[in-house]
Amino acid sequence: MSLSRFVGRFRPYSVPICLFAVVAIAVLFVPPLVLGGATGRTYALTMAVLIVAISSVLPYAVAVGVLTVPFLYTGIGSYAAPEVLPTDAEPFGLAAALRHVIAGISYVVAATAVGAVGIGLDFAASSGSDPFPAVGFPPFLLLGGVVIAGVYVAVQLWRYERPVRGLGWDTVLGTGVLGAFLAASPLVALWIFGSYGF
């Protein structure tokens, strides 16, 4: 299979695949780096943190998925593939809205998962544990959400199959705002978790 043909087949699924890859790398490789080994205890602690983080962020994830449907309706952006955006031939539909909502919820959860792994990095950095010094890094909790948001925005704009200049400022800005909701996910999860008194 030629490279151009592979890229053409990969492009429609690129955002979920890339985000899944980032989450998998963070969950599989970062905890052993922080806790000193790929043991059952390491991954049990990681799963406990992920469960708490994801359960805390679910209300925000649903809100982001549902409340950003106007971005899809107006055609300026979507968490789903660009082909769900309404056109003269294909007006706004329920199936497109459902795809947008499900993708939005999934991406918020992905950002929160990477941010939750970042909590372990923050603890390691603040305690001076190797390999992280106590200063010189932004909070890894926040950085996890920013990484997911950056991957989403870059790859989603690539999915349009047009140069960024040809997309229009509204599409670029709309995609950037959708990415900002993802970047905030880990902080919102921590805030919701804390608001319940834990």
Side-chain angles (χ1 to χ4, degrees), residues 146-169:
V146 170
V147 166
I148 291 291
V151 171
Y152 161 75
V153 170
V155 181
Q156 182 75 351
L157 292 175
W158 177 67
R159 285 170 101 182
Y160 281 94
E161 300 186 35
R162 293 195 304 270
V164 172
R165 287 183 181 180
L167 293 177
W169 69 268

Side-chain angles (χ1 to χ4, degrees), residues 51-68 101 104-105 108-109 112 181 185 188-193 195-196:
I51 289 168
V52 169
I54 291 168
S55 61
S56 297
V57 86
L58 280 178
Y60 175 74
V62 172
V64 167
V66 172
L67 296 178
T68 57
V101 170
I105 292 170
V108 168
V109 168
T112 304
F181 289 125
S185 300
V188 172
L190 188 62
W191 174 74
I192 292 173
F193 179 71
S195 71
Y196 286 111

